[in-house]
Amino acid sequence: MTHLPSLVRVAPPRRLFLNSALVLAATAPGCKSPEPMMNPPSGARFALRSGDAKASVAAMMRAAIDMQHNGEPLAEAMGRDLAGYDRSALRPDVYTDPATQQAKPDLVGYSSAVESYEYSKLMMNYLSFESGAGLSLMYGPLLNPTAQTGMAAIALLRSRVQALALASRAGVDMNGPWVIVPAPVNNPLNLLGFPGLWPQFAELARFDTAIEASGNVQRGCSLEGGYGASAGSKITVGDYECGYNSLHIARERAELALHTEALGNAAWKQALWVINYLQLAHDTSGAQWSHIAAAALDQVGKVGNSVQADNNDGKEKGLPGTYIGASDLEGFQALLMTEQIDNKAELLLRRLVSDGTSLVGFADSAAALSYDYQAPLRFFPSQFSVTEQAGQGGADPQPTAYAPLAQESTLASLSSLLAAYAEAFALTDLTNSSVGGSSTVRPVFDGDPFAKDNGMPDGEATLHDRSLAVIKLSLVNIDRVHFDSASGALCDSATVAAGGTVSRTRRASASEAARVISALRTGYRALTAQLTLYSDATPDTLVTTTALDGTSLRGVPGGVALASRIQQLIKAQADVLRTRLVDASGLATNFYDFAQGQGDSQPTRIESQAAAVVGLLDAYLATGQSTYRDLAILAYDVLEKRFHVPALATYRTTLGVDDAFTWTPERFAVVQSALSRMYVLVASRPGGDSLRAPLEARLARLNKLVLNGWDDANDNGQVDYPGECVKPPSGLSSGLMLAERALTGELGSDQGALTADRDRDCVVEIDDAKRAAVLGSSITLAPMLASPLPATSTLGAAKQ
């Protein structure tokens, strides 16, 4: 049965394919230097005191996951038709109703559907394809199992890239359209067929975002038929959109370290987009289709195939020739990210598992799937150093050894891995009719280009079984390593000593409590074939069986079914939130120390308060218990009363600290998620009408100020440029988003005139920013008004 029959369900958003295929989005090079910022105008509320422009991958990708969910899906939940936004418009923040053609300002809709959503994609693309900020896929343990070096390693990756390009029709001949097939010979600037493409299989934990993006607007580099910001028209863009050589980081200065949470969050984000891109297939004209006849599935993606797709409505069919993905570029990127996710799983299982003393790994996925509560303890340490040797013959640097930096397991790491490989498993699960069982996804895992699985958790050499193995190891150790039976809580971290002795911190934080509830829900929905692209805001359905029930489950606490144990863990952590981390008034504490029997004595930080809202609402979706929802509303009321500062039209980030507001990607994302969840699950329900406008205003201001660095000092809803751009210290951007590219309107020129910030939204394009289009690690905003006034609640009748 379904838990919440009365809960208003938000329909899954229609995939906006208009303008979506350019996953490489950008700005045009050759732009003049950024226009000098004026002094803040009279009445300006903020100046940027400091910031960190380095990228922290775990934090950035954690934010990117939430920003995707709070992007197009939220805009549709607010009643917007996604076709009403023009990403290439000279003036952003405008919504044109497709039905009436009436245009109006729409800060919240545009900043959600376009900016938050596309920024999240830009970050993923930069890590996956463009930066070199990781371990090169040419040494992926599945792609290169014998650790070949030099030209042999290059040839393995080149062959795989070419095959994936053909299956998606991103590469059909020497003209592309995206990947040259066959790849050029002896061209160091184009080893793989796409200039500068540098795919990774394991992302580094942190890197310097400084780049020297090419400064030339190329007439030969354009985006047509929907790849840029205006479908159907030719758009000239920066040449780095069609070649990535100038986007690479200075990798020789990078710290060679892997964080398990970063690996998990990167894979989670990648898997979300793979599901997104594979919802449709395309024909030789680029037309998109949602259905393929069963008898033709094995021919989809084959060069020269004559398959005609359709929409399963009997009305029309596509042209002969059907290929993987919603477009040639999206299909190619989906396949390449799938390759990265798969190789990452193999690395995790074979090389990054410890017994508390040294790295031992599993022999294969079958061995990992046999792991249970009574097996010798094996776990993923949270951090690793990497040893590399220089690449030979033009090959990338080659990883040769890994070593744990500490024998520590963190709940954040396991949450990220569980959710990531739950999404990946859904892609391969034929029983999930909306994802792995879809006729547009099945051709990907039918033996070409990825191995076919028999559907059982029996250790085949497939993404299906490797995903299940990572899920199982993560899920069992969330319980076995982190669950403290005396307190009934999942603790944030634990150390493991020789012989498998576990020492827990006995501390639970609000942020990680909310995140693990989300991850457990994601795992539960995937293992029970309920997971769809944006099903996180819909209630879970009670089931009794999971896809792991055919594996050993010895020692499950209480001897219950795995499905029941997952539900128990969700409820246990939800109760920790309800009884220990949030008081009766709705105020959260940063953490609760069970050893000391008390909460944190320090002032509450905004990420803790917002996480309480998110975690309690997720608990409501998982259990149907209204007590969680009611307390979430109280927690939101505290967010409004005690954190929001009307005089500054934003939130303080720590209670009692009003001279500096520091924002990180995690803080931004969890506050955005709290507002989004409140909109979907409270404001859109009967009695919540009065909340909609305030929530939209809060979301718009959060997105525009923290991401973009636009301080709308006169509250007129328009950027008075450049005076309202928060003035940054030298070398920093105005907000957390360091730069923009074509997907959000930075085309590099306007009617032939070079520009640095074409749409004048306070985020400059990458060749002028000299930074990648990613989130920095932090910004600190200094209020310029004295004595901020206390906020008041806006909830009113919605609490009833």
Side-chain angles (χ1 to χ4, degrees), residues 139-501:
Y139 305 112
L142 294 173
L143 191 145
N144 186 354
T146 59
Q148 295 187 53
T149 62
M151 288 304 300
I154 294 173
L156 287 170
L157 181 56
R158 178 189 290 136
S159 177
R160 188 59 170 161
V161 166
Q162 300 270 291
L164 300 182
L166 291 172
S168 59
R169 208 171 178 273
V172 292
D173 53 33
M174 288 296 291
N175 296 315
W178 298 102
V179 181
I180 296 173
V181 179
V185 178
N186 298 323
N187 183 348
L189 297 179
N190 192 356
L191 291 174
L192 307 177
F194 192 113
L197 179 66
W198 196 347
Q200 314 298 306
F201 75 97
E203 297 76 15
L204 297 177
R206 188 172 167 84
F207 63 90
D208 189 336
T209 60
I211 57 173
E212 291 287 343
S214 171
N216 299 304
V217 176
Q218 291 281 327
R219 292 296 171 187
C221 182
S222 61
L223 307 170
E224 298 185 50
Y227 293 121
S230 297
S233 63
K234 186 170 183 177
I235 303 171
T236 302
V237 296
D239 61 359
Y240 48 75
E241 297 294 354
C242 306
Y244 305 149
N245 284 299
S246 67
L247 303 185
H248 298 167
I249 65 167
R251 199 177 181 283
E252 66 277 4
R253 300 201 303 265
E255 177 187 353
L256 290 179
L258 303 178
H259 289 184
T260 310
E261 182 186 1
L263 300 178
N265 286 341
W268 187 352
K269 175 64 176 173
Q270 289 169 329
L272 279 170
W273 279 102
V274 173
I275 293 174
N276 190 322
Y277 290 163
L278 298 183
Q279 289 180 106
L280 299 176
H282 66 282
D283 65 22
T284 52
S285 74
Q288 299 156 342
W289 304 93
S290 63
H291 177 261
I292 302 159
L297 289 176
D298 64 347
Q299 292 301 306
V300 173
K302 299 287 193 300
V303 175
N305 79 82
S306 59
V307 175
Q308 291 181 272
D310 57 67
N311 288 323
N312 208 25
D313 57 8
K315 293 183 179 179
E316 57 182 334
K317 290 186 176 183
L319 295 178
T322 300
Y323 293 84
I324 291 169
S327 70
D328 44 24
L329 183 59
E330 289 191 339
F332 172 65
Q333 293 185 331
L335 294 176
L336 191 50
M337 285 190 290
T338 301
E339 185 73 27
Q340 293 167 317
I341 293 166
D342 204 5
N343 277 269
K344 202 185 329 273
E346 184 77 351
L347 174 72
L348 286 160
L349 294 169
R350 297 290 296 274
R351 300 295 302 274
L352 303 186
V353 174
S354 175
D355 62 1
T357 302
S358 59
L359 295 180
V360 290
F362 290 99
D364 51 30
S365 58
L369 283 166
S370 69
Y371 182 74
D372 58 30
Y373 288 78
Q374 295 179 359
L377 186 62
R378 300 288 184 267
F379 73 104
F380 297 117
S382 61
Q383 300 181 32
F384 302 86
S385 63
V386 180
T387 301
E388 286 186 340
Q389 65 182 20
Q392 303 297 317
D396 299 331
Q398 183 171 17
T400 57
Y402 307 91
L405 295 174
Q407 296 291 349
E408 177 194 45
S409 174
T410 65
L411 197 58
S413 295
L414 295 185
S415 294
S416 69
L417 291 178
L418 171 59
Y421 283 93
E423 300 279 354
F425 169 69
L427 279 162
T428 68
D429 181 11
L430 291 174
T431 69
N432 186 325
S433 60
S434 297
V435 187
S438 165
S439 63
T440 59
V441 177
R442 286 168 60 189
V444 177
F445 301 100
D446 62 357
D448 181 16
F450 289 93
K452 185 177 183 179
D453 191 89
N454 63 8
M456 303 297 292
D458 54 2
E460 291 186 287
T462 61
L463 179 58
H464 177 280
D465 282 7
R466 278 186 284 268
S467 294
L468 282 177
V470 176
I471 291 170
K472 187 173 185 187
L473 193 62
S474 302
L475 185 57
V476 169
N477 283 342
I478 283 174
D479 200 355
R480 185 176 176 182
V481 176
H482 290 269
F483 187 73
D484 179 60
S485 58
S487 61
L490 291 167
C491 302
D492 284 359
S493 63
T495 56
V496 181
T501 302

Side-chain angles (χ1 to χ4, degrees), residues 655-674:
L655 285 182
V657 179
D658 283 355
D659 62 342
F661 299 164
T662 297
W663 288 94
T664 64
E666 302 102 318
R667 282 183 170 176
F668 166 77
V670 74
V671 175
Q672 188 192 56
S673 291

